[in-house]
Amino acid sequence: MGYSTLLFLHVTSAFTMVTAAGLFLAVALAQRSDRYSATALRLAPVASILWPIGGLLAIVFGVWLALHDSQYSLADGWIIAAIVLWVIGSAIGGRLGAGYRKMATSGAAADPSALVMNLALILTLVVILIDMIYKPGAS
Amino acid sequence: MTVLVIRPDSWNLPLLLHVGGAMALVASVTVAAVALIQGWRTGAPSSAALKRFGARTLLYAAIPSFLVMRIAAEWILSREHLSNSNAAWIGDGFLAGDAGGLVLLIATIVANVAVRRDPDSGLGKLAKVGAGLSVVLIALYVFAVWAMTTKPS
């Protein structure tokens, strides 16, 4: 697979992750309003599908890109930072998805920390994007 | 062959805003599409709440994200001195950006008019048009990502 195709698949996977995070955030914000709280949970199953698919493909194609291109190395600081941030983001997103699934299926109460976790996830994704664009330490 | 893996520093901020705006745009249009489609599949009153949620998401999240993405696109083009370029991938980007912007505007208007006309009932024809246009937009954005990353000549 060529560089352009790998880049397309990596970026599309990243867009999928961000879309899932957007759906998680929409559910969390809706929980603050009586008008939307119950119905917005219908968005959660789609987010719970998109998050693991986007996350897994983003890391697979990202590592593939790093191995494919001689200008990159998996030992580069900005790539290591991205992988660490990806692990943090995956853990937060996985926990959010599981919590929303539980709410939708068993009617469990909303996790009071869900909004904070959503903001932490958005912050993590923003820092990953900054890292990908600025590539600190790359020569 | 790989070219320009490392960009000049002055390109980074507009590129960050362009890509970040595009990601927020795709996420918010998808949130709206999922809400409207779920509203289509369910009965009132859930349907009415999902219709309102989808319409408001288009208005308050998708439109501002589109503006950030589109303004930053002009900024990065001027930084790269590509404003007058005839490259196919830039044309594809303008197609997805400007035609997509028009489709987004129509989707936002029809969905919000549907909410205003009939706030307590199901989707109705107008909101269904908004749902359909949101799905068309997602397909257009996948094409835009393909054009921006593969840069076909």
Side-chain angles (χ1 to χ4, degrees):
Chain A
M1 216 179 297
Y3 175 84
S4 300
T5 306
L6 284 172
L7 184 63
F8 166 63
L9 293 171
H10 176 58
V11 172
T12 304
S13 306
F15 268 75
T16 306
M17 278 181 83
V18 172
T19 298
L23 285 160
F24 283 143
L25 182 64
V27 176
L29 291 174
Q31 295 306 310
R32 296 164 66 85
S33 158
D34 291 340
R35 181 185 264 185
Y36 300 118
S37 58
T39 50
L41 276 178
R42 290 176 179 277
L43 306 182
V46 180
S48 297
I49 292 169
L50 291 181
W51 178 258
I53 292 173
L56 184 64
L57 292 179
I59 194 75
V60 166
F61 289 119
V63 168
W64 195 341
L65 262 176
L67 296 173
H68 179 275
D69 198 298
S70 60
Q71 294 189 51
Y72 300 139
S73 162
L74 283 178
D76 288 350
W78 67 276
I79 293 181
I80 292 171
I83 292 172
V84 170
L85 288 163
W86 177 88
V87 171
I88 294 169
S90 294
I92 299 171
R95 190 170 161 198
L96 279 170
Y100 289 142
R101 261 199 312 275
K102 204 169 161 188
M103 282 173 69
T105 54
S106 67
D111 183 348
S113 65
L115 188 59
V116 174
M117 283 203 295
N118 268 285
L119 295 177
L121 180 58
I122 298 292
L123 182 66
T124 305
L125 293 174
V126 168
V127 176
I128 291 175
L129 181 60
I130 292 171
D131 183 55
M132 290 286 118
I133 300 272
Y134 282 81
K135 297 179 173 52
S139 53
Chain B
M1 189 178 79
T2 305
V3 282
L4 281 178
V5 173
I6 306 300
R7 292 170 291 274
D9 285 346
S10 64
W11 296 9
N12 285 337
L13 181 59
L15 185 61
L16 176 68
L17 292 173
H18 178 57
V19 178
M23 285 180 156
L25 175 62
V26 172
S28 48
V29 168
T30 306
V31 167
V34 172
L36 292 169
I37 289 167
Q38 291 283 38
W40 198 335
R41 295 172 60 206
T42 55
S46 291
S47 179
L50 285 164
K51 176 175 73 174
R52 200 180 309 116
F53 193 81
R56 298 294 188 259
T57 302
L58 286 172
L59 183 61
Y60 295 122
I63 295 281
S65 302
F66 170 79
L67 291 174
V68 171
M69 181 279 295
R70 192 64 188 81
I71 291 167
E74 289 298 330
W75 189 8
I76 186 73
L77 271 180
S78 72
R79 282 288 162 91
E80 295 187 41
H81 305 294
L82 290 173
S83 297
N84 297 317
S85 170
N86 291 321
W89 66 273
I90 293 177
D92 292 340
F94 276 122
L95 172 73
D98 295 346
L102 186 62
V103 174
L104 175 63
L105 188 63
I106 294 168
T108 305
I109 290 170
V110 295
N112 282 279
V113 166
V115 172
R116 199 178 177 88
R117 275 191 186 169
D118 211 348
D120 299 318
S121 69
L123 241 58
K125 278 183 188 167
L126 273 180
K128 284 176 182 172
V129 169
L133 290 177
S134 299
V135 174
V136 169
L137 279 171
I138 293 168
L140 195 58
Y141 296 150
V142 173
F143 165 73
V145 171
W146 171 80
M148 295 298 105
T149 52
T150 61
K151 295 183 169 44
S153 54

